Amino acid sequence: MEFLSCAQDVRPYDVRVKEALSEGLQEFNVKEASVAVILPDGKIHRFVAGYSHDSIVIEPEMLFAIGSITTNVVAALVLQLAEEGILTLDDPMSRWLPAYPYVDGTITIRQLLNHTSGLYMFWDHQKLWDDLKRYRDSVFSPKTVTSPHGVCQ
């Protein structure tokens, strides 16, 4: 016979959030996570779990590389601008961005959004991944980044 209970988890919410984060890391094979909870009184509570750089325990004050989530945010904003008539998906990059070395300015916004522009797919190249890891704490000038020789030679 199965019994149902309406009893609430009486543990403090911070303990439950930390447990949920730890379980989520394992379930989704993620190395680190950060959560902010804003309570009705306006207080903000920050929680983190996992490790950075394979061995450093994550702390709430640490900065995260936000990775590909910006792609979704930028795409949503671009689609909103298209809906408002400010731009069209068939506009070439050169209408909105300055010229970049080795980049075809006729590539359209649509091609960028659906990944058919032909731009270099960096995740397909192990040397670049190795260099990203090697230089992960470095700061580069725009000149260094746009140089044909760049940092990673």
Side-chain angles (χ1 to χ4, degrees):
M1 177 182 277
E2 188 174 319
F3 294 97
L4 297 176
S5 172
C6 294
Q8 292 185 350
D9 190 335
V10 294
R11 296 176 301 156
Y13 85 95
D14 61 327
V15 171
R16 291 180 282 156
V17 171
K18 289 176 185 177
E19 182 180 291
L21 274 176
S22 294
E23 289 173 1
L25 292 179
Q26 290 179 345
E27 181 179 349
F28 298 105
N29 194 26
V30 175
K31 291 185 178 189
E32 60 208 34
S34 174
V35 172
V37 177
I38 303 173
L39 299 176
D41 64 4
K43 289 184 182 176
I44 300 173
H45 299 266
R46 298 176 301 164
F47 303 96
V48 294
Y51 295 89
S52 173
H53 295 38
D54 303 325
S55 62
I56 300 168
V57 175
I58 296 293
E59 297 291 335
E61 298 77 26
M62 295 173 102
L63 299 177
F64 280 66
I66 56 177
S68 294
I69 192 66
T70 56
T71 304
N72 299 328
V73 173
V74 169
L77 293 172
V78 167
L79 291 171
Q80 184 176 354
L81 292 171
E83 187 175 85
E84 294 171 6
I86 295 170
L87 56 76
T88 74
L89 298 182
D90 295 315
D91 286 348
M93 275 182 26
S94 60
R95 179 167 181 200
W96 300 102
L97 298 172
Y100 290 97
Y102 317 108
V103 176
D104 180 357
T106 64
I107 293 170
T108 65
I109 294 171
R110 182 183 315 277
Q111 290 172 313
L112 289 170
L113 289 176
N114 63 21
H115 303 273
T116 58
S117 68
L119 289 178
Y120 186 76
M121 304 302 262
F122 67 88
W123 54 81
D124 290 337
H125 302 278
Q126 187 60 48
K127 181 175 178 350
L128 185 54
W129 277 115
D130 294 342
D131 286 340
L132 286 171
K133 189 172 182 179
R134 181 170 31 148
Y135 295 114
R136 65 181 157 214
D137 296 324
S138 301
V139 177
F140 302 105
S141 70
K143 183 178 179 183
T144 301
V145 173
T146 59
S147 162
H149 302 290
V151 176
C152 310
Q153 297 181 30

